[in-house]
Amino acid sequence: MIVADVSLGDVTDELVGIFRDPRILLGIPLALLGAVFMSFGAQYQHRGVVKVERLKGKTTGGLTGGQMVALLRRPSWVAGTVMLGLAIGCQLAALSVAPLILVQPLGAIALVITTLLNARLSGHKPTRQSIIAIVACVGGIFIFVMIAAFFATEHAVTSRELLIILGILAVVLVAFAILWVWLRRRMRALFYITAAGVIYGFVATLAKVVISRIQSGDFEWLTMLCVVALLAAVAIGAYFVQTAYSVGPPDLVIAGLTVIDPLVAVLIGLLVLGEASTAPVWALLGFAVAGAIAVWGVIQLTRHHPQMVSESQEIPIPRGSDGD
């Protein structure tokens, strides 16, 4: 009887997530709403970038200053930007009430929505492989979020931890800047997607830190430095995203972002912020397995993306106009 009581007490002590702070659950619908806005925003921004390149001419090495200015006059791009702004607002609201490792992975749902939306607009029906990939992606994310909902905890970010994050971000930005200047004429979509995903992973982390410090009334020079780094990272990441839209379909861009962005943010949350410090070993293994399933699903989705497969003619797929 004593053993049973001790075991029950240990389990209760471990399940600190939603039991200690039920507000955590509010972060889930906010993050999902943000994913919806992100999906539609990506579609409209991609349409605007393609239109500008058609009118101004396609260039290598990234979008030019003139093309960036021309985007401001494209209604579709502006509408997409507004939607992405709403997505960011939803994500910030979710981060204000829930841990980073719970909120950030839900962005992968945007990949599913974008894939289905793009299939509808482009007239390409999803293949069996892409449907399997979507199920794996959603299933992996669902398992990950369920575990995080019970074991994710938040701690006050120390100045040392924040300086570590800012230092790593500075190294990352310099590295990508050097690669862009040196190899931009040969860069493909994967580089821009990877760069944007890594940078936005830091953006989510810095946003969480700023929100937490404002909530605790700890707004000093280091927090201001964090805000400056956040704005700089947003601007640089946005440029890489827009350039990625010019060299790849929106599905591919969102696929890269929804894998790399959460992966970077979650790693920072786990290794630097200690948001899984109360999780038992089996929960950490669950994180790894669920994350692997989701990553496999996203990779398979990019390989079997209906539009990309159709354009490359790797396998025959039914078109939206077939049978009309």
Side-chain angles (χ1 to χ4, degrees), residues 259-285:
V259 173
I260 301 170
D261 177 343
L263 180 61
V264 172
V266 168
L267 285 176
I268 295 174
L270 292 174
L271 302 178
V272 180
L273 302 183
E275 290 190 345
S277 59
T278 63
V281 175
W282 70 263
L284 296 177
L285 293 176

Side-chain angles (χ1 to χ4, degrees), residues 138-174:
V138 175
I141 290 299
F142 177 78
I143 297 172
F144 193 103
V145 171
M146 286 298 293
I147 299 175
F150 286 101
F151 294 105
T153 58
E154 294 189 87
H155 307 281
V157 180
T158 65
S159 297
R160 176 179 174 275
E161 292 170 340
L162 185 52
L163 286 173
I164 291 175
I165 295 173
L166 291 174
I168 297 174
L169 174 60
V171 172
V172 167
L173 291 179
V174 170

Side-chain angles (χ1 to χ4, degrees), residues 62-128:
L63 296 175
T64 65
Q67 289 174 324
M68 294 296 291
V69 172
L71 287 175
L72 298 174
R73 297 193 292 267
R74 298 308 314 169
S76 57
W77 188 86
V78 173
T81 302
V82 171
M83 292 180 187
L84 289 180
L86 293 173
I88 293 174
C90 290
Q91 185 178 35
L92 293 178
L95 287 172
S96 68
V97 297
L100 181 69
I101 62 174
L102 171 63
V103 171
Q104 201 63 16
L106 289 172
I109 302 301
L111 169 61
V112 178
I113 300 173
T114 304
T115 299
L116 298 177
L117 179 62
N118 192 64
R120 173 87 174 177
L121 296 177
S122 64
H124 295 83
K125 296 179 181 179
T127 63
R128 182 176 63 86

